[in-house]
Amino acid sequence: MHRRLAVPLVMVALIGVALTACSSAPGGGVPVGPTGRFTIVGRDIVDPAGNRFYPIGANVSVRQGPYENGYTFNWNGTATGHAADAKAWGWNIVRANLICVPPPSPTVAQLNAGIDSFIDEYTAQGIVVMVDCHDVTGANLPASSAKIQSLYPFWERLANKYKNNPYVWFNMFNEPQGGSSDGDVANWLTLQQDALRRLRAIAPNNIFVADIPGYGQAVETFTGSNSILRLGAGQCNVLYSWHAYGALGKDGVFGEFADFDNEAASRDNHREALQYLKDHNIPVVIGELGDPLTLDEGTAGLPIWNRIGARAVMSEAPAFGVGMLWWHATGDSGNFLTYSLMADRHQAPWSAAATGAGLSNGGFRFWAVSKNAPNLGPFTGDLAASNCGS
């Protein structure tokens, strides 16, 4: 299953010290030029050509052995074989959603062969593949748990194979922490630090992506002395992933829903959150957003929250340089598609890439954002501020 309880999350007063790992310096306005890898400096993601990278794309499924339809997140087929269609959409990143400790069928061998083939196809076209495991969504498990430990053989094999491919990003756990209390943040931090340490022992420079606490929605955990930003402090290439389903209130407490379904207030709250991320130089991608086809269905809080939140970030995030990935291009929860890009949820979005024909309202909005993604230009800061080795 994809997801989560309906957890109202509150944007607390935006105070406290942001412990960012580094900050972007003007560098005299001289472009750094090609580097051959992705490098995060402050809030900027610098691509291998030396340009500031704006990630835009979607969550997708991957063919594994015979499973083109009917395994996980592939109700309308997988994205395998569709790199050209993804590029036609304007996408430069996809998030490959996997169950990384599969049942007896597909086999581990089929899982590994499927993701390898997918990575090779997409990265050859200059499309980032952010690989993620959905095995422990909302499980709140400690780093030492058997379930967490069972995922590392998958990641270690992948890291060894793709440690020299900068277009492979490691998003090890989908929404591993359901809550956002101090205890939840502490558990999340230990889990992510251990995962980052393991990755860096094999792959020193590939981007590490961490879904934030609160099922990816607790933006307030960026703030205060207990901030999750401790994960990236002094580290190379740590990117935080916010799942923007509209659960972003302000000046309230848990259980206070007033702002979530008020479009104007929600838009203001999202803009304030994006401004905070910019002001405090925090590297963030919106790893999931989605506008449900109807307002009587949703899996991430109330559907109206999801719709208002999706429209807010699609409208506001590009101006702040914060990229985003739609949930979901091929399927949701294995046998349905709540947040469909297409008006007919039985269709995959590939045919709409060129013209936008047949898209849902939310799909058309995302198509327009994808086609008009900002060009952030060359990076002119100091790559040495990345905390990455030469």
Side-chain angles (χ1 to χ4, degrees):
M1 295 290 289
H2 166 47
R3 294 289 168 286
R4 69 199 73 190
L5 302 174
V7 181
L9 299 171
V10 179
M11 187 68 176
V12 298
L14 295 175
I15 58 175
V17 178
L19 302 176
T20 48
C22 48
S23 62
S24 205
V30 178
V32 297
T35 65
R37 67 188 192 191
F38 283 94
T39 308
I40 295 176
V41 183
R43 63 192 296 268
D44 289 324
I45 306 170
V46 185
D47 74 13
N51 297 310
R52 296 166 66 210
F53 182 72
Y54 182 83
I56 187 75
N59 286 261
V60 298
S61 59
V62 175
R63 185 181 301 145
Q64 300 168 44
Y67 291 92
E68 174 59 27
N69 297 85
Y71 176 51
T72 183
F73 306 119
N74 58 349
W75 192 54
N76 287 325
T78 70
T80 301
H82 289 285
D85 295 317
K87 288 193 77 169
W89 260 86
W91 296 343
N92 56 20
I93 184 171
V94 290
R95 184 173 183 241
N97 307 133
L98 303 173
I99 299 298
C100 298
V101 181
S105 182
T107 65
V108 171
Q110 288 172 329
L111 166 69
N112 291 338
I115 188 59
D116 287 354
S117 175
F118 185 85
I119 287 172
D120 293 345
E121 175 194 353
Y122 275 72
T123 63
Q125 297 296 317
I127 299 172
V128 169
V129 178
M130 182 197 300
V131 184
D132 95 284
C133 292
H134 266 67
D135 301 64
V136 295
T137 301
N140 306 323
L141 295 174
S144 60
S145 69
K147 184 67 172 178
I148 294 294
Q149 294 299 310
S150 73
L151 296 172
Y152 283 116
F154 170 83
W155 287 117
E156 289 165 359
R157 186 203 71 86
L158 203 72
N160 275 295
K161 186 174 180 67
Y162 292 107
K163 61 187 176 183
N164 295 317
N165 186 338
Y167 288 87
V168 181
W169 295 5
F170 291 77
N171 183 198
M172 290 189 171
F173 315 109
N174 177 73
E175 303 174 359
Q177 198 72 36
S180 57
S181 68
D182 285 353
D184 290 315
V185 168
N187 188 67
W188 177 93
L189 185 62
T190 300
L191 172 68
Q192 300 287 3
Q193 286 175 329
D194 184 56
L196 178 60
R197 177 185 60 80
R198 288 170 177 264
L199 178 64
R200 289 294 175 252
I202 302 170
N205 295 310
N206 295 70
I207 287 184
F208 178 89
V209 185
D211 291 1
I212 67 175
Y215 290 98
Q217 299 187 62
V219 180
E220 72 272 13
T221 58
F222 284 121
T223 70
S225 60
N226 197 34
S227 169
I228 62 172
L229 296 175
R230 289 172 291 169
L231 174 65
Q235 299 295 321
C236 169
N237 284 353
V238 172
L239 180 65
Y240 301 96
S241 181
W242 168 21
H243 294 181
Y245 288 100
L248 184 62
K250 188 181 119 183
D251 299 331
V253 294
F254 284 100
E256 188 170 332
F257 296 86
D259 282 352
F260 300 151
D261 58 0
N262 180 314
E263 187 160 10
S266 181
R267 177 71 63 90
D268 287 344
N269 293 337
H270 281 82
R271 189 182 297 111
E272 185 172 345
L274 290 163
Q275 186 66 52
Y276 184 86
L277 297 176
K278 178 180 179 180
D279 291 346
H280 292 80
N281 217 16
I282 302 171
V284 171
V285 65
I286 296 171
E288 296 184 18
L289 74 151
D291 184 350
L293 278 183
T294 70
L295 290 180
D296 60 0
E297 57 183 316
T299 59
L302 295 182
I304 188 62
W305 305 353
N306 304 162
R307 174 163 294 174
I308 290 172
R311 292 181 180 182
V313 295
M314 283 189 283
S315 175
E316 302 292 339
F320 289 89
V322 176
M324 65 194 83
L325 293 92
W326 185 268
W327 182 275
H328 195 284
T330 54
D332 185 11
S333 302
N335 59 1
F336 200 63
L337 190 47
T338 299
Y339 304 92
S340 178
L341 289 164
M342 303 297 290
D344 179 352
R345 76 178 83 229
H346 298 271
Q347 295 183 14
W350 313 123
S351 64
T355 65
L359 292 169
S360 63
N361 183 284
F364 185 80
R365 291 169 187 260
F366 193 71
W367 183 78
V369 171
S370 299
K371 294 288 189 180
N372 296 284
N375 181 346
L376 302 179
F379 179 73
T380 60
D382 182 5
L383 288 178
S386 65
N387 294 304
C388 298
S390 59

